Amino acid sequence: MKFETRAIHDGQEPDSLTGAVIVPVYQTSTYQQEAIGKHKGYEYSRTGNPTRHALEVALASLEEGRFGLAFASGVAATAAVFSLLKKGDHIVAGDDMYGGTYRLLERIFKKWGLSTTYADVDEPISFEKSIRKNTKLIWIETPTNPLLKIIDIKKISNVSRRHNILLAVDNTFASPYFQRPLLLGADIVVHSTTKYIAGHSDIVGGAVVVNDLRIYNDLKYYQNAAGAVPGAWDSWLVLRGLKTLAIRMKAHQENALYLTKYLSKHPKIAGVYYPGLPSGKNYAVAKKQMQGFSGMFGFELKGGRQVVDKFFSRLKLFVLAESLGGVESLISYPAGMTHISMPRQERLKRGITDNFIRVSVGIEDKYDLKEDLKNALSIL
Ligand SMILES: *Cc1c(COP(=O)(O)O)cnc(C)c1O
């Protein structure tokens, strides 16, 4: 069955008890046992909950994987993957990635004995060059945050296979509608379901999808033992969101294509970053491994911080906020928001300039969005 159909039906059969068409919110912590150890498959909601279970089945289906696990946040899902490693293990990670993943590696797992080398995502060969004897995991994110670079998943998976290392891909920016890393050779897919999958900026959640039963069992054990699980209500909201993922992603992409074309020609714009622009250096790989280019883009204004502040103050529809993937358009300033803790030199070295702006385009009318940008640019 096709993606759109699976999103609505997989894991979401009518309730066997009542016939309810929508999976109920099983707002319960515990479950009756008929006799000691005799129950209907659920004992305690940290271990398992029917609403969460429906979500986990649906998530696995969307990624075309065998097993899904839902977590309380994207960061909790990421931590679950790192928990597969042990003291002394080494990770190779892309150097353009979500700040919270970097923080988790450097501030939490480093002191537990994991070390990380950051490979230059513009040079795929640097991933292989960074591998050591104790490397157990390659971690990538594509498209990357915030610069929207594309990493060739198949190429990296060839490296990971050759060295017998796990490859994990954070697929948050593309969503499973536009990219399915497991089909490209990845072992593990991670999501912040907070973003496109839930899609309405109203919950925080995460997910991991895998094919290998042993990895699944280890992650499932960790999920119950460490306990960062989503509640039934949040699981239900993610389920409600993912039913419309396909139509939302098409709309996000249409708006992103339209606006990046407009901005590319604007005299006050110094550069546009979007994998869907045929003139960009990431286009060929994006076209090969993705079914679309998603709704995230970046651009640089001509001028410095003052120009950025002025521009933001004039916007009416684009909301200045962190996060992404919701139905409403959000705009953010990495140098002063998500990457503020990074030393300026380091930030500039990575290409995050003082006039770089990141956009998560929503599904509003594209002409209204263009007018908003046009109006704000006109005063600069
Ligand atoms: C937001 C985000 C995360 C973290 O997810 P939370 O749900 O905020 O914990 C991880 N990776 C990427 C790419 C993200 O955008």
Side-chain angles (χ1 to χ4, degrees), residues 28-202:
T28 185
S29 60
T30 190
Y31 306 81
Q32 181 190 32
Q33 306 198 6
E34 267 173 60
I36 298 165
K38 193 158 174 257
H39 52 76
K40 299 188 167 75
Y42 296 97
E43 298 158 85
Y44 186 61
S45 277
R46 169 158 40 71
T47 318
N49 171 283
T51 314
R52 189 177 99 214
H53 180 70
L55 171 62
E56 295 179 328
V57 172
L59 289 167
S61 169
L62 297 188
E63 281 292 353
E64 299 191 44
R66 287 174 68 201
F67 308 109
L69 289 162
F71 288 89
S73 68
V75 161
T78 304
V81 174
F82 295 154
S83 84
L84 295 168
L85 307 188
K86 61 181 192 317
K87 188 176 171 183
D89 286 348
H90 176 248
I91 299 167
V92 175
D95 66 353
D96 191 39
M97 63 147 115
Y98 179 68
T101 307
Y102 178 81
R103 182 174 59 197
L104 200 52
L105 287 168
E106 293 305 311
R107 305 297 293 272
I108 308 292
F109 284 102
K110 189 178 237 166
K111 63 181 189 227
W112 292 1
L114 295 185
S115 59
T116 309
T117 301
Y118 299 92
D120 181 353
V121 302
D122 289 322
E123 296 289 342
I125 188 75
S126 68
F127 282 89
E128 186 150 29
K129 280 189 182 153
S130 305
I131 291 172
R132 302 181 193 160
K133 265 216 281 297
N134 56 339
T135 305
K136 295 288 159 59
L137 176 72
I138 299 179
W139 177 278
I140 58 172
E141 187 181 300
T142 179
T144 64
N145 181 40
L147 294 170
L148 289 314
K149 294 176 180 176
I150 300 292
I151 304 174
D152 189 328
I153 298 173
K154 204 165 234 170
K155 207 176 247 177
I156 304 295
S157 82
N158 288 337
V159 172
S160 67
R161 290 274 145 99
R162 208 160 48 238
H163 293 268
N164 207 12
I165 297 168
L166 292 175
L167 171 61
V169 178
D170 182 335
N171 200 26
T172 300
F173 272 34
S175 91
Y177 183 67
F178 283 138
Q179 178 170 272
R180 287 173 295 283
L182 296 176
L183 303 183
L184 298 165
D187 302 289
I188 299 167
V189 174
V190 175
H191 277 286
S192 166
T193 54
T194 311
K195 317 295 170 53
Y196 285 115
I197 291 182
H200 294 73
S201 304
D202 51 12

